[in-house]
Structure formats: structure tokens, C-alpha cells
Amino acid sequence: MKSLILLAALASVVLASSYDKKGVAAATDKLYVKECGACHFAYQPGLLPSNAWQKMMSNLENHFGSDASLAKEDFDSISKYLNKNSAEKFMNYKRSARIVNSLRVGEVADSISKTPYMIEKHKDIREDFIIQEEVKGIFNCTACHTTAQKGIYSEKDILIPNFGRWED
Amino acid sequence: MKLIFALFLFLTISSASVVDEYLNTLTKEAKIENPSFSGFDLKRGEEIFTSKHIGKKGKEVSCVSCHGEDFSKTSKNFFTAKEIEPLSPKANPKRFSEVKTIEKWLRRNFNDVYNREGTTQEKGDVVTYIINK
């Protein structure tokens, strides 16, 4: 009995000081994955807060210099999905929480890779690994993070093209 | 076996009819827009597909930049490096199977390459080129 109480106490300490979930929640909506995964992999909604998704969705005709516009019914459905699953609503996921907490109050992010948390995490990577043909930019998460599709971005799962595993 | 064959036949026919019907609609529109309209032309379609232009991103691109020269092979997106499945409906039965999808990509891709939407004539020419190549 005593050890059970001890265990419970320990568990609550662990829970309070960390996130109960690693990574970021997987993208599950079929329409979202099809439409927003046509030109790059479908970024998990938990990688940005809802105000950033709204800003991005409001200008799909000029989406990073490309036309990604949608039919009205698809636009509405995808906007709703992003808003329901955005980072600030999933703070129990480590990456969502880190991204949200790195933004200044009132700051609306233009992309995932330009959030302070992402800039900090990627600042030590050699430029030529990033701009090479197989990667093209930090936006291309799946090029280096082999488990990005599942929402897992751990260091042990990184494999940079023409370089190899990442070790500190 | 017979059933599978019949189903296959049905699917090929029905997908062929989507693009035929799309071209018919474009033909009707083109006749209204231009009384001297004389049909869609594969050669003009080829020119539209292969010629380079300063696109929406300010870079020189053509349709080939993303779809490659061999429509029966997968290609790579010029901007994102993501694989694009073959454009030819002969190699990829999902192509030209839904008018909404055809229209969506023609609208986006003309904007990307030409910085404007394609005209009815241009869309008909380029689709004629792709499905016959």
C-alpha cells in the first residue's frame, strides 16, 4: 500500500513536470491529408496555433508564391479541421507546447520553420545540407525526420540526405 | 474473372468519358467565346506545356519543371522536391477522372507558370496534348 502511494505521488510529479505525450498528434483527416499533402507532406495541425493557420488559409491564392486555392466546401472543411486541432489545444503534446510557448504574446507565425522554437532547433545545421536538391529547405521535414509522418521528431530518427544520422 | 474484366472495362470507359466530356464542355465554351474557333490543337498544347515563363514565384519555369518530359514516369515538384505521380492517364488511371480535380490543378498550375489563369482555348489545347502524348 505504501509503495502504491509512493508510486502515485511519483507519477503525479512526473506528469506535472513533463508532457504526457511525445511529438505532435498525427494528421488524420482524409480531405486534409489529400489536399494539403499534394505539394509537400501534410503538416500536423498541432505544429501551429490557430491564429497562424487562419492567416495562412486566408491567402491560399498566394501560398509561399504558389497557388494552393481550394473549392469553397473543401476550404471550409479544412479550416475547421485545422482550427479544431491546432497547437494551443494540444498542449499535452511536447512539440505543440514548445512551439506555442516560444511565440511572443500576440505574435502570429508565418510558417512552422520560422517559429522561434524551430529556428533554435535547426540553427546548427550546415546550410548546404538544407539547400541541397533532396531537401530544398527546412519546410521539408520528411526529408530529414524519417518519422515525421507519424508526428515524431526525435533526434534518433534524423537522417540527413548525403550526410547520414545526426549525432551531437 | 469475367466480372473483373467487365469492371475494368467499365472503369477505363468511364474515365475516358470524364476527359471527353470535359473537352466537350470546353469546346462549347470556346465556340461561344470565339465564333471562328476551330478545335483544340496538340501542337499548341505542346508549346503551352514546354515553354518557359517567369512564374508566380519569380522563377523561370514551365509545366515540364514539375511534370517532367515522360508522362509515364513519376517526377519531382520543382519547388518542394515531393514526388508527383505520372501525368499520363495511360500510366496513372487516377488522372483525368474528376472534372473538379482537373479544373483545380489547371487553375493553380497556369497561375504558377503564366501568372494568370488559362483561357478555354489554352486549357483544351494542353489537355489534348497531355492525353495524347
Side-chain angles (χ1 to χ4, degrees), chain A residues 34-35 37-41 61-71 73-74 133-136 139-140, chain B residues 55-58 76-84 98 100-101 104-112 117:
Chain A
K34 174 173 170 249
E35 292 298 337
C39 300
H40 41 63
F41 99 110
E61 288 72 25
N62 192 354
H63 176 75
F64 301 87
S66 287
D67 184 344
S69 56
L70 289 164
E73 66 274 15
D74 298 338
E133 265 308 293
E134 290 89 338
V135 181
K136 286 191 183 272
F139 77 89
N140 196 359
Chain B
K56 198 178 173 80
K57 252 189 198 282
K76 264 196 174 164
N77 189 310
F78 183 74
F79 295 121
T80 64
K82 188 178 192 284
E83 279 205 349
I84 299 179
E98 201 188 36
K100 182 179 166 184
T101 307
K104 176 183 72 187
W105 284 106
L106 287 179
R107 180 186 71 240
R108 288 176 174 175
N109 291 164
F110 264 97
N111 272 330
D112 290 336
E117 289 196 24

Side-chain angles (χ1 to χ4, degrees), chain B residues 43-55:
Chain B
K43 267 264 127 331
R44 276 199 308 261
E46 177 170 22
E47 174 64 20
I48 291 166
F49 201 89
T50 55
S51 59
K52 290 188 168 185
H53 305 268
I54 302 292

Side-chain angles (χ1 to χ4, degrees), chain A:
Chain A
M1 188 59 199
K2 238 191 201 158
S3 62
L4 205 69
I5 293 173
L6 200 71
L7 199 73
L10 200 74
S12 63
V13 169
V14 169
L15 279 180
S17 63
S18 75
Y19 316 90
D20 55 347
K21 296 206 162 78
K22 300 200 308 180
V24 52
T28 49
D29 185 81
K30 270 212 180 111
L31 181 71
Y32 174 77
V33 171
K34 174 173 170 249
E35 292 298 337
C36 300
C39 300
H40 41 63
F41 99 110
Y43 300 100
Q44 287 84 19
L47 289 172
L48 282 176
S50 58
N51 60 7
W53 287 125
Q54 265 160 34
K55 184 174 173 190
M56 194 177 294
M57 292 297 286
S58 70
N59 194 15
L60 284 181
E61 288 72 25
N62 192 354
H63 176 75
F64 301 87
S66 287
D67 184 344
S69 56
L70 289 164
K72 172 87 172 67
E73 66 274 15
D74 298 338
F75 176 87
D76 289 345
S77 164
I78 288 170
S79 298
K80 215 165 160 188
Y81 172 69
L82 285 171
N83 190 45
K84 236 172 130 177
N85 294 281
S86 56
E88 81 279 15
K89 289 162 192 125
F90 285 84
M91 298 292 272
N92 55 331
Y93 281 87
K94 179 173 171 182
R95 304 303 178 196
S96 298
R98 291 280 167 87
I99 288 168
V100 169
N101 292 335
S102 78
L103 291 161
R104 278 177 285 111
V105 178
E107 180 179 358
V108 185
D110 287 316
S111 71
I112 301 159
S113 47
K114 295 279 156 50
T115 58
Y117 175 62
M118 285 293 151
I119 292 173
E120 172 63 28
K121 283 291 176 186
H122 296 112
K123 70 176 188 332
D124 295 332
I125 307 171
R126 262 169 54 188
E127 181 71 7
D128 55 332
F129 292 151
I130 298 172
I131 60 174
Q132 60 173 321
E133 265 308 293
E134 290 89 338
V135 181
K136 286 191 183 272
I138 287 295
F139 77 89
N140 196 359
C141 321
T142 47
C144 304
H145 292 274
T146 58
T147 49
Q149 298 271 12
K150 290 188 256 175
I152 305 290
Y153 294 93
S154 311
E155 269 194 70
K156 67 171 171 41
D157 299 314
I158 297 170
L159 186 68
I160 300 181
N162 303 312
F163 173 67
R165 300 232 160 250
W166 183 266
E167 276 144 312
D168 275 318

Side-chain angles (χ1 to χ4, degrees), chain B residues 83-128:
Chain B
E83 279 205 349
I84 299 179
E85 286 175 28
L87 195 54
S88 166
K90 292 167 204 149
N92 179 358
K94 280 180 284 177
R95 293 288 175 226
F96 300 98
S97 59
E98 201 188 36
V99 171
K100 182 179 166 184
T101 307
I102 305 171
E103 284 271 81
K104 176 183 72 187
W105 284 106
L106 287 179
R107 180 186 71 240
R108 288 176 174 175
N109 291 164
F110 264 97
N111 272 330
D112 290 336
V113 176
Y114 287 84
N115 242 316
R116 59 167 175 83
E117 289 196 24
T119 63
T120 311
Q121 177 81 56
E122 288 170 327
K123 290 193 281 185
D125 288 342
V126 85
V127 169
T128 303

